[in-house]
Amino acid sequence: MAELQTLSDTAQVVIDPVAEADLAWIEALDAQITGRPKPDYWRRLFEGARSEPGRSFFLVARNGSGRVGFIAGEIRAWEFGSEPCGWIFAIGVDPDNRLRSVGTQLFDAVCDRFRQAGVTKVRTMIAREAQLILSFFRAHGMMAGPFVELEKDLDE
Amino acid sequence: MKLQLATRHALFAILELASEPERQLSAAEIAEKYDLSTNHLAKVLRTLGRAGLVEASRGVGGGYRFCGNAKRLNLLDIVQLFEPIWPIGQGMSEPGDRTRKGQALRRVLGEIEEATRATLSSITVDTMLKIARRIPDAPAEDMIRRAAALR
C-alpha cells in the first residue's frame, strides 16, 4: 500500500513498489550518479521483486511532479551462518531533491518491509571512499557489523 | 585504537558544545564533566578556535560555543587537527619497509588504517550525538543530573 509522508520539513512523497514504467528513470538516474548504465541489473531487480514480493523489495519515491528516488533490498539468510536479515544494496535520490529526507523516507520504508517480513536486522555494504552514502547510513544508526568483507584479484 | 589525549579532549569538547549549540560553557565546566585537565583542555579549545569550530566570548557568562556545522563536520576532521591518520601507504617510512615482509606488514596495517579513516570520516558530530543519545544513562551524567537537582 502506498505511504504518504507529510512531515513539514521533508519532501512529500509516496513510496510504492517499482513499476515497469519506472525502470527507465531508475536506469537513467543511476547512470547519472555512477556514470555506468546497467539496464540488465535493474531489470533483474525488478523481476526479482515482482516474483518474490515478501523477500525482495524495489521501491520508488514519487512526489507531485514525478519520481525522486529509489531503494532496493532483500532478505538474505544463512550466508556463513548469518541469521535472516534485510540487505540494502541500492539507493538513489534525484540530485535536485536531496537534503529533503527522500533517502530517509525510502530507508524507513524498506526497513518497515523488513520488519513486516519478520527480520530484526538490516545490513548494507558500501565502498570506503563513498563518504556521502556511508555518512547517510551512519546517520540512520547503522554501525559496523560482525562480518568482514574480503576480496582477491583472481589473476593473482 | 587509542587516541591521543588532546584528541580525546577535543572530541569531548566539540560533542558537549554541539549538543546544545546556543549554550556557552567554560573550559572548567567541560573539564569537570569529562574528568579532564582544565589547562590542557584550554589549549585544545584554542586549537579548535583557530580551526573555526568553536568561538570564545569573554566576561561574565562567557565561555565557548560550537560554531561548526554538526551535520558536515566528521570525526576525522577533528582527529586530524591533533594527530595524523594517514591514507594507505602515505605514512612515515619505517625500518624494514623496503623488504617484502615489511611491505606485507604495511599492507596489512594499511587495511586497519583505511578502515579507521572510513569509520571516522563517515560519522558526523550530529551522528555521534545520536549514538550517544541511544546509550542509557552513564554514571557521570547521572551524577551531574543529581548535582544539578540539589542546586
Side-chain angles (χ1 to χ4, degrees):
Chain A
M1 197 175 82
E3 296 153 27
L4 182 63
Q5 309 285 336
T6 55
L7 295 175
S8 60
D9 58 340
T10 63
Q12 291 196 15
V13 298
V14 173
I15 297 174
D16 282 325
V18 166
E20 187 147 16
D22 298 318
L23 275 181
W25 180 83
I26 290 169
E27 288 166 22
L29 176 63
D30 172 66
Q32 180 191 345
I33 294 168
T34 67
R36 196 166 174 186
K38 30 189 130 47
D40 295 347
Y41 172 72
W42 299 114
R43 173 147 302 271
R44 273 202 308 278
L45 286 190
F46 170 69
E47 300 290 354
R50 196 162 59 173
S51 63
E52 291 189 277
R55 192 189 75 82
S56 185
F57 307 100
F58 194 10
L59 308 175
V60 65
R62 309 174 204 279
N63 68 4
S65 58
R67 306 162 184 99
V68 291
F70 69 89
I71 194 165
E74 68 181 11
I75 293 170
R76 295 186 190 169
W78 311 123
E79 292 163 332
F80 292 99
S82 167
E83 295 276 341
C85 72
W87 264 92
I88 294 173
F89 43 78
I91 183 167
V93 174
D94 169 29
D96 293 337
N97 281 282
R98 289 187 184 165
L99 301 176
R100 300 183 64 210
S101 298
V102 174
T104 295
Q105 293 176 67
L106 285 161
F107 178 81
D108 290 344
V110 80
C111 286
D112 281 346
R113 282 157 174 81
F114 291 147
R115 277 189 211 96
Q116 286 160 17
V119 299
T120 57
K121 190 85 75 182
V122 58
R123 294 200 173 115
T124 191
M125 185 174 69
I126 309 291
R128 281 180 189 148
E129 65 270 21
Q131 193 183 344
L132 184 69
I133 196 154
L134 262 178
S135 298
F136 169 81
F137 284 117
R138 290 282 196 184
H140 289 80
M142 297 188 82
M143 304 287 286
F147 290 83
V148 176
E149 178 259 342
L150 296 174
E151 67 175 30
K152 176 184 188 297
D153 285 336
L154 291 175
D155 55 359
E156 256 183 24
Chain B
M1 181 188 183
K2 189 162 171 60
L3 293 169
Q4 290 177 17
L5 201 56
T7 313
R8 287 179 64 85
H9 282 55
L11 289 169
F12 285 138
I14 290 286
L15 292 170
E16 185 60 30
L17 294 171
S19 65
E20 286 184 57
E22 301 306 315
R23 179 187 56 169
Q24 297 202 2
L25 286 175
S26 68
E29 286 172 308
I30 300 168
E32 186 185 19
K33 177 167 181 179
Y34 294 94
D35 200 15
L36 310 174
S37 149
T38 304
N39 283 341
H40 194 178
L41 180 62
K43 286 181 197 162
V44 165
L45 283 163
R46 281 197 288 278
T47 303
L48 295 173
R50 283 196 296 275
L53 301 180
V54 300
E55 59 187 18
S57 61
R58 297 183 188 282
V60 179
Y64 291 90
R65 196 176 66 83
F66 177 68
C67 59
N69 182 339
K71 292 197 168 186
R72 295 277 173 218
L73 181 68
N74 65 53
L75 299 187
L76 186 66
D77 296 329
I78 302 166
V79 170
Q80 286 195 311
L81 291 172
F82 298 92
E83 58 188 281
I85 305 280
W86 299 104
I88 192 164
Q90 289 181 26
M92 301 270 283
S93 179
E94 295 193 64
D97 274 356
R98 292 185 177 189
T99 65
R100 281 186 172 176
K101 291 181 180 67
Q103 303 228 333
L105 182 60
R106 264 182 96 80
R107 197 163 159 181
V108 171
L109 297 180
E111 268 191 26
I112 298 168
E113 287 169 358
E114 281 293 291
T116 301
R117 282 182 69 86
T119 300
L120 293 174
S121 67
S122 69
I123 299 180
T124 63
V125 167
D126 187 63
T127 296
M128 194 67 182
L129 292 172
K130 284 183 192 161
I131 295 171
R133 281 196 288 272
R134 288 201 301 269
I135 294 172
D137 267 3
E141 263 103 359
D142 196 37
M143 190 177 72
I144 289 163
R145 200 177 354 272
R146 275 187 278 135
L150 291 175
R151 276 182 205 151

